[in-house]
Amino acid sequence: MDSADTKPDIPLVAMTVPGLLLVSLFLNHAFAARSTILFLIGAGLGVTLFHASFGFAGGWRQFVRKQHGAAIRAQLLLLAGTSLLFFPVLGSVFPQIHANGAFGPVSVSVLVGAFMFGVGMQLGGGCGSGTLFTVGGGHVRMLITLAFFVVGTVVGSAHLPWWLALPNMGKVSLIETFGWLPALVLQALVLGVLYLVVARMERRRHGRLDSLGDAPQVRSLGRRLVFGPWPLGWGIAGLALLGLVTLLVAGHPWSITFAFGLWGTKIWSALGGDISGWSYWSSGYPAAALNRSVLADTTSLMNFGIIMGAVLAAGLAGRFAPPSRLKLNGVLTAILGGLLLGYGARLAFGCNIGGMLAGIASGSLHGWLWLFAGFIGTLWGVRLRTLFGMDPPAGERP
Amino acid sequence: MKNRNRWIMLAAILLAIIAVALDYIQHPVVRTSGDTLDSIADEHEEGAPCSMDGMHAEEEDDEEEL
């Protein structure tokens, strides 16, 4: 049902708005203003993701199955826009700003992890950001995906040292190699070529390109801004700008899945599980995060904000918790998909956001490796969806 | 309430709030008078939590202190 046909869910909005305010006040009192700001940035991301329906998994699948390329073109523009905003900051054009990029190794670990993530996001029904905003939108199946996403991340963190011992070129920074401006031009060229390839395939199949700027004209501009739906173009602008604000406030790019591992490891530890042999959690930031409240962890704060923002947006759009009945294969694929998502994200140094978007926008070569391997994984994931009865065979109408 | 899914989701959110509250009680924040906008999450300044640098940020700080 189009959200224009629905009415705002007043009781839900009436609970969520004071909830957001109360959490913000608590964070400001118990932690610091920075925590409040990061939580609210997360809420803004949640509203943007939900209203623009800005998902990666569905967009990649639409392109693989039917060459509908609007979502992929939007993602390429998001990568280009975020790079444009990040490169000068990370290239020290503004020396007074202290910020660091998201870097991972160019390694077998990232190659395998992103491939697994690509398969997992098709089976699980969402990527890192997609899982969070659909959970916020009240999709019960995605709750199962999220739970096993957390489990997979914990297992992945326990196995990560073994994977990192495999062939590994270490960190490769395009900004350090070429300088920020030449690296930005090079990256823009590659993204431009990919955009043209996607557009050409889409036009060849459908005779035209789906617009990124249009959404059904059913509401005035102001009402659409509050109640949705947003065109993809609004989503690109919102995500790129909030990504920049995250970089400036947090000192690092937006990431998601570290928090999943943290939550899972805390739960495992609270249940009496032994984590003393897991080197990932025994030193550095992970060890410190484990011994503090999750509210002191930037990634967790932003994830909570994204979920609450999506709850608010779903309430405003009148689309919270759509009625649906869980089927056995839906549950099993959510479990399998969640495990692959979590394990893959840990190996790949992040999901589609912390690994791919943040990596590419930081000029880290591992982000490009993530994009390549994640797309190959998606090709397999789309086939598996058909095999598991989630989609009809290609060419058949759903 | 419109459907069962709504109750499931609201119950899950409530459960998550309880878990976060329990975690907070177990790990109280020791806040000093010098806490400012810049003082929280300084450990992240070495890199994003998902990144290589984020994994080792505090470890490097500790070595410097030693």
Side-chain angles (χ1 to χ4, degrees), chain A residues 9 12 26 28-35 37 98 100-105 135 138-140 143 171 252-253 255 257-258 266 280 283-286 288 290-295 297-299 304 320-324 346 349-350, chain B residues 1-13 16-17 19-21 23-32 35-60 62:
Chain A
D9 187 335
L12 187 67
F26 171 75
N28 194 51
H29 171 74
F31 293 87
R34 191 181 198 173
S35 301
I37 295 170
H98 184 64
N100 290 282
F103 293 99
V135 163
H139 292 260
V140 173
L143 210 53
K171 157 184 157 183
H252 62 78
S255 62
T257 50
F258 172 80
K266 273 177 173 280
Y280 179 86
S283 64
Y285 178 71
L290 211 50
N291 291 313
R292 285 193 293 242
S293 162
V294 289
L295 296 175
D297 172 53
T298 309
T299 319
F304 295 145
F320 181 74
S324 62
R346 192 62 274 143
F349 286 79
Chain B
M1 291 293 172
K2 290 174 192 167
N3 60 55
R4 190 184 56 170
N5 290 355
R6 186 180 175 94
W7 283 108
I8 294 172
M9 294 309 299
L10 292 177
I13 290 171
I17 291 170
V20 171
D23 179 60
Y24 177 75
I25 291 165
Q26 285 181 336
H27 302 96
V29 178
V30 181
R31 188 173 182 174
T32 64
D35 274 355
T36 66
L37 185 67
D38 299 322
S39 65
I40 191 88
D42 281 345
E43 64 279 359
H44 281 155
E45 291 187 356
E46 295 295 328
C50 280
S51 73
M52 293 169 70
D53 301 328
M55 281 171 62
H56 303 296
E58 286 207 345
E59 196 171 33
E60 287 167 6
D62 292 343

Side-chain angles (χ1 to χ4, degrees), chain A residues 377-392:
Chain A
T378 285
L379 296 177
W380 282 81
V382 168
R383 288 183 179 201
L384 287 173
R385 280 179 67 94
T386 307
L387 194 69
F388 291 142
M390 299 171 75
D391 288 329

Side-chain angles (χ1 to χ4, degrees), chain A:
Chain A
M1 194 186 331
D2 190 278
S3 63
D5 302 329
T6 58
K7 291 179 179 171
D9 187 335
I10 302 295
L12 187 67
V13 174
M15 276 195 298
T16 312
V17 173
L20 279 164
L21 286 174
L22 276 175
V23 174
S24 300
L25 289 172
F26 171 75
L27 290 171
N28 194 51
H29 171 74
F31 293 87
R34 191 181 198 173
S35 301
T36 308
I37 295 170
L38 288 166
F39 173 71
L40 292 176
I41 292 170
L45 288 166
V47 171
T48 306
L49 288 164
F50 187 91
H51 272 344
S53 296
F54 205 101
F56 288 71
W60 288 23
R61 185 167 66 250
Q62 284 294 313
F63 183 69
V64 170
R65 283 179 61 83
K66 298 177 179 173
Q67 280 82 58
H68 281 299
I72 287 203
R73 285 186 288 114
Q75 291 160 26
L76 291 169
L77 290 176
L78 175 63
L79 287 168
T82 309
S83 301
L84 186 67
L85 295 172
F86 276 30
F87 272 44
V89 174
L90 298 175
S92 301
V93 173
F94 311 104
Q96 66 275 26
I97 298 175
H98 184 64
N100 290 282
F103 293 99
V106 177
S107 62
V108 171
S109 159
V110 171
L111 189 73
V112 174
F115 175 83
M116 292 173 79
F117 193 94
V119 176
M121 73 180 183
Q122 294 308 328
L123 296 180
C127 51
S129 51
T131 299
L132 285 181
F133 90 76
T134 49
V135 163
H139 292 260
V140 173
R141 179 174 178 271
M142 296 310 293
L143 210 53
I144 301 170
T145 299
L146 177 60
F148 284 89
F149 201 146
V150 168
V151 173
T153 313
V154 173
V155 179
S157 69
H159 294 173
L160 186 60
W162 184 86
W163 285 99
L164 288 179
L166 297 176
N168 183 337
M169 284 172 60
K171 157 184 157 183
V172 179
S173 165
L174 299 177
I175 294 177
E176 286 176 11
T177 306
F178 300 111
W180 76 267
L181 189 56
L184 179 61
V185 172
L186 176 69
Q187 192 145 290
L189 280 172
V190 175
L191 289 168
V193 168
L194 288 175
Y195 187 98
L196 291 175
V197 169
V198 172
R200 185 184 168 89
M201 290 176 72
E202 187 179 354
R203 190 176 282 122
R204 183 181 290 173
R205 173 79 181 262
H206 302 286
R208 64 181 184 85
L209 296 183
D210 289 334
S211 169
L212 303 180
D214 292 338
Q217 298 292 323
V218 289
R219 285 178 162 151
S220 67
L221 189 68
R223 287 184 65 82
R224 281 172 70 190
L225 193 63
V226 175
F227 300 107
W230 292 5
L232 281 169
W234 294 11
I236 297 168
L239 295 179
L241 289 174
L242 288 169
L244 176 65
V245 178
T246 303
L247 179 70
L248 298 179
V249 175
H252 62 78
W254 175 26
S255 62
I256 290 174
T257 50
F258 172 80
F260 294 172
L262 179 63
W263 303 346
T265 306
K266 273 177 173 280
I267 292 168
W268 176 247
S269 187
L271 294 174
D274 180 18
I275 60 166
S276 58
W278 299 358
S279 63
Y280 179 86
W281 295 103
S282 62
S283 64
Y285 178 71
L290 211 50
N291 291 313
R292 285 193 293 242
S293 162
V294 289
L295 296 175
D297 172 53
T298 309
T299 319
S300 297
L301 272 183
M302 290 187 66
N303 286 354
F304 295 145
I306 290 170
I307 293 173
M308 285 193 73
V311 172
L312 176 63
L316 289 166
R319 289 194 287 148
F320 181 74
S324 62
R325 190 172 291 275
L326 280 176
K327 294 177 182 169
L328 182 62
N329 73 331
V331 173
L332 293 177
T333 49
I335 292 171
L336 180 59
L339 290 171
L340 287 168
L341 282 163
Y343 196 87
R346 192 62 274 143
L347 263 55
F349 286 79
C351 61
N352 55 304
I353 299 297
M356 187 184 75
L357 175 62
I360 289 177
S362 301
S364 176
L365 198 56
H366 93 287
W368 286 101
L369 182 62
W370 199 113
L371 174 61
F372 169 75
F375 192 78
I376 301 296
T378 285
L379 296 177
W380 282 81
V382 168
R383 288 183 179 201
L384 287 173
R385 280 179 67 94
T386 307
L387 194 69
F388 291 142
M390 299 171 75
D391 288 329
E396 278 186 25
R397 286 181 181 276

